[in-house]
């Protein structure tokens, strides 16, 4: 098969199927040149010789105004979004069934609607009457939010194009189905197609779209991971049904910080924001007891104090148990190995249980020293002082590494009434009045100073 040749006028860019001396588009002479195809390969599998339009390029020094943001009035939600809702953005909210995703988004929709943004709430799982019942229970029945119960993606996009809202909430993406995809709703193909269509619609029409996503047993959003790459922001709604705390965490945000969290409390009238999560996580902490240590952590941009609880007991089994809730089990094994190898403190034949109180999940390495303190306190049956916070990273050599934002952690501890802190040497501490700081250089020194052994 002969290759198709492409001829283009260098003056006006008009395309021609053959060469001629004069361009029919602009009338210039000797301006038509032959161009090589964009890509080689079979005609149906490659771009061929047809060319597109040139895009506008800019350099790195070009300054652009930041996108405008709309605040909903809930500080915890605005914080996680990076300072408010960005127009023409696509967001994905995931969480366990019954955790409160629909409740949170209905409250957010009411707030945005009251602030002047035309808001449409599309439910694919519940009827409009059920959504209205939830709105009455939350006291939101007077909010100017428009409801719809639909799963046909073509009808939804047609309605959004006609209504031109500022915000659309799709609950949930797994119930949407596109009639051009031959598979059942909730399948990988349908979820991918629906997410792609909604995301491109948001960009083309300037509509902010929030999609709700179910999660798998492993805690990941169900469907292909490409859905998380399509959207601008991915939020996870975390929490345990046995706790009243709910944590909204940003794991991806193109318009703000990732790992930012917002803390909410589940009440009879919906989700109430918690402006001081440290006080809430420590509110149930009673008198000092062995195995308890307060960790000063950083979640996103905010310092958070949380209690770490450890229990060490003789094991009746040949293989001792290592159970962790809210922390990395592999890192716990590392801390136990370092304590035995560098400090001579064995945990063989002992069951070890570690829990982060309040349902918070801690991931930063700065919790190492607080975990070690809780483990040693439980093993030696010695309570740590109630007014002391602990943080720092432990290396495999037994050395202690300073944690970032040390000054912010100490200020949060001082604000909540703590008078002493144990942190590795080397971090910038600033001046925190009324706080006694102990700075051991290594793990052996920490064990000796705190528990009188080493």
């Amino acid at each position: 098969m002969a290759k198709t040749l492409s001829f283009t006028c260098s003056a006006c860019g008009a395309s021609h199927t053959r060469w001629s001396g004069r361009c029919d588009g602009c009338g210039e002479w000797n301006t038509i040149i032959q161009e090589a195809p964009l890509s080689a390969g079979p005609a149906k599998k490659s771009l061929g010789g047809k060319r597109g339009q040139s895009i506008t390029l800019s350099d790195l020094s070009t300054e652009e105004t930041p996108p405008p943001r709309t605040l909903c009035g809930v500080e915890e939600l605005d914080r996680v979004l990076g300072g408010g809702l960005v127009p023409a953005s696509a967001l994905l909210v995931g969480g366990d069934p019954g955790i409160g995703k629909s409740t949170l988004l209905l409250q957010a929709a009411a707030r945005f609607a009251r602030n002047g943004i035309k808001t449409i709430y599309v439910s694919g799982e519940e009827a409009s009457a059920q959504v209205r019942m939830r709105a009455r229970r939350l006291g939101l029945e007077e909010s100017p939010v428009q409801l719809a119960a639909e799963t046909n993606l073509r009808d939804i996009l047609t309605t959004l194009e006609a209504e031109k809202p500022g915000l659309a909430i799709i609950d949930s993406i797994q119930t949407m189905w596109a009639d051009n995809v031959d598979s059942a709703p909730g399948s990988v193909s349908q979820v991918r197609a629906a997410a792609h269509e909604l995301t491109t619609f948001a960009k083309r029409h300037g509509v902010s779209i929030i999609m709700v996503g179910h999660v798998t047993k492993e805690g990941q959003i169900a469907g292909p991971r490409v859905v998380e790459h399509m959207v601008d922001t991915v939020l996870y709604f975390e929490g345990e049904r046995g706790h009243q705390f709910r944590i909204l965490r940003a794991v991806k945000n193109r318009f703000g910080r990732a790992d930012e969290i917002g803390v909410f409390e589940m009440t009879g009238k919906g989700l109430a924001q918690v402006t001081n999560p440290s006080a809430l996580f420590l509110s149930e902490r009673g008198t000092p007891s062995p195995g308890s240590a307060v960790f000063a952590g950083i979640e996103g941009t905010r310092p958070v104090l949380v209690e770490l609880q450890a229990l060490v007991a003789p094991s009746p089994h040949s293989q001792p148990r290592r159970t962790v809730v809210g922390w990395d089990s592999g890192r716990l094994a590392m801390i136990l190995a370092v304590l035995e190898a560098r400090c001579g403190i064995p945990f063989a034949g002992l069951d070890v249980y570690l829990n982060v109180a309040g349902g918070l999940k801690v991931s930063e390495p700065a919790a190492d020293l607080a975990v070690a303190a809780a483990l040693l306190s439980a093993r030696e049956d010695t309570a740590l002082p109630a007014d002391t916070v602990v943080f720092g990273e432990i290396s495999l050599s037994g050395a202690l590494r300073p944690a970032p934002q040390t000054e912010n952690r100490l200020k949060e501890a001082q604000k909540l009434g703590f008078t002493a802190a144990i942190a590795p040497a080397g971090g910038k501490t600033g001046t925190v009045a009324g706080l006694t700081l102990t700075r051991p250089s290594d793990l052996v020194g920490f064990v000796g100073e705190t528990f009188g052994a080493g």
Side-chain angles (χ1 to χ4, degrees):
M1 181 182 295
K3 293 183 178 180
T4 302
L5 301 180
S6 175
F7 299 88
T8 305
C9 176
S10 60
C12 66
S15 299
H16 300 268
T17 57
R18 59 185 177 84
W19 184 89
S20 62
R22 187 169 182 262
C23 177
D24 296 334
C26 61
E28 294 291 334
W29 289 89
N30 297 324
T31 58
I32 298 178
I33 58 175
Q34 179 182 346
E35 292 186 340
L38 286 176
S39 62
K44 295 183 179 181
K45 302 294 184 181
S46 66
L47 294 176
K50 185 177 180 181
R51 296 183 174 274
Q53 298 179 351
S54 298
I55 60 178
T56 303
L57 303 177
S58 60
D59 53 28
L60 296 177
S61 62
T62 302
E63 295 186 3
E64 297 182 3
T65 57
R69 295 178 181 268
T70 303
L71 300 176
C72 73
V74 181
E75 296 180 1
E76 296 298 302
L77 179 59
D78 291 333
R79 179 200 306 274
V80 177
L81 293 177
L85 185 66
V86 177
S89 60
L91 297 86
L92 182 62
V93 179
D96 294 328
I99 203 68
K101 301 184 297 297
S102 299
T103 301
L104 173 66
L105 292 180
L106 186 58
Q107 291 181 256
R111 289 280 191 148
F112 281 117
R114 290 172 182 172
N115 291 343
I117 297 181
K118 186 176 182 180
T119 305
I120 294 180
Y121 190 102
V122 180
S123 176
E125 300 181 346
E126 299 175 313
S128 298
Q130 292 176 293
V131 180
R132 292 191 185 95
M133 289 176 57
R134 182 183 296 116
R136 284 194 294 270
R137 178 172 58 86
L138 301 177
L140 306 174
E141 64 272 13
E142 300 299 329
S143 301
V145 178
Q146 296 179 297
L147 300 177
E150 185 56 62
T151 59
N152 190 321
L153 186 62
R154 189 180 299 274
D155 295 344
I156 293 174
L157 293 180
T158 302
T159 303
L160 295 180
E161 187 176 13
E163 294 292 335
K164 297 180 174 58
L167 171 63
I169 298 176
I170 309 297
D171 187 6
S172 67
I173 188 63
Q174 276 81 12
T175 60
M176 300 294 111
W177 66 278
D179 51 21
N180 63 321
V181 179
D182 296 331
S183 58
S187 62
V188 171
S189 301
Q190 284 283 5
V191 172
R192 182 191 295 114
H196 172 70
E197 293 292 344
L198 289 168
T199 302
T200 54
F201 182 87
K203 303 301 181 184
R204 288 186 289 110
H205 293 82
V207 179
S208 298
I209 292 182
I210 300 178
M211 296 173 278
V212 178
H214 297 304
V215 297
T216 61
K217 294 180 180 178
E218 292 76 21
Q220 303 296 326
I221 293 179
R225 294 303 297 268
V226 69
V227 174
E228 299 186 28
H229 301 309
M230 290 180 188
V231 298
D232 300 310
T233 303
V234 179
L235 308 178
Y236 276 86
F237 206 39
E238 305 171 351
E240 300 291 339
R241 291 194 177 187
H243 294 92
Q244 71 270 32
F245 312 130
R246 299 291 187 270
I247 298 169
L248 184 65
R249 185 186 303 272
V251 298
K252 171 189 175 182
N253 195 348
R254 291 175 179 163
F255 308 110
R257 286 182 61 100
D259 292 329
E260 190 69 77
I261 68 167
V263 183
F264 298 87
E265 182 179 7
M266 180 63 76
T267 65
K269 293 186 177 181
L271 290 163
Q273 62 175 339
V274 178
T275 56
N276 190 352
S278 298
L280 186 64
F281 288 133
L282 299 176
S283 60
E284 299 178 356
R285 187 168 183 257
T287 58
S289 60
S292 174
V294 178
F295 165 60
I298 295 289
E299 294 289 342
T301 58
R302 71 195 308 173
V304 176
L305 267 62
V306 65
E307 181 184 6
L308 301 181
Q309 301 169 344
L311 175 63
V312 177
S315 177
H317 309 287
S318 59
Q319 191 77 14
R321 302 186 65 177
R322 303 287 187 260
T323 304
V324 185
V325 178
W327 206 51
D328 183 18
S329 58
R331 202 157 187 91
L332 173 62
M334 186 197 77
I335 299 299
L336 295 175
V338 173
L339 286 173
E340 182 169 358
R342 306 303 178 189
C343 303
I345 302 176
F347 284 83
L350 298 174
D351 288 336
V352 176
Y353 302 89
L354 182 68
N355 176 51
V356 180
L360 183 68
K361 294 181 180 178
V362 178
S363 58
E364 60 172 331
D368 290 350
L369 194 59
V371 170
L375 293 173
L376 293 173
S377 172
R379 186 183 185 279
E380 302 298 327
D381 198 24
T382 302
L384 292 170
D387 57 353
T388 302
V389 296
V390 187
F391 60 91
E393 181 181 355
I394 299 176
S395 65
L396 294 179
S397 63
L400 300 182
R401 296 179 178 177
Q405 303 188 44
T406 299
E407 187 175 0
N408 293 338
R409 301 172 196 260
L410 296 177
K411 287 182 178 179
E412 180 71 9
Q414 190 269 339
K415 185 195 306 182
L416 292 177
F418 289 85
T419 60
I422 302 176
K428 180 181 178 182
T429 60
T431 302
V432 182
L435 196 67
T436 303
L437 185 60
T438 303
R439 315 197 71 180
S441 59
D442 55 14
L443 188 59
V444 176
F446 165 76
V447 174
E449 295 176 8
T450 307
F451 298 96

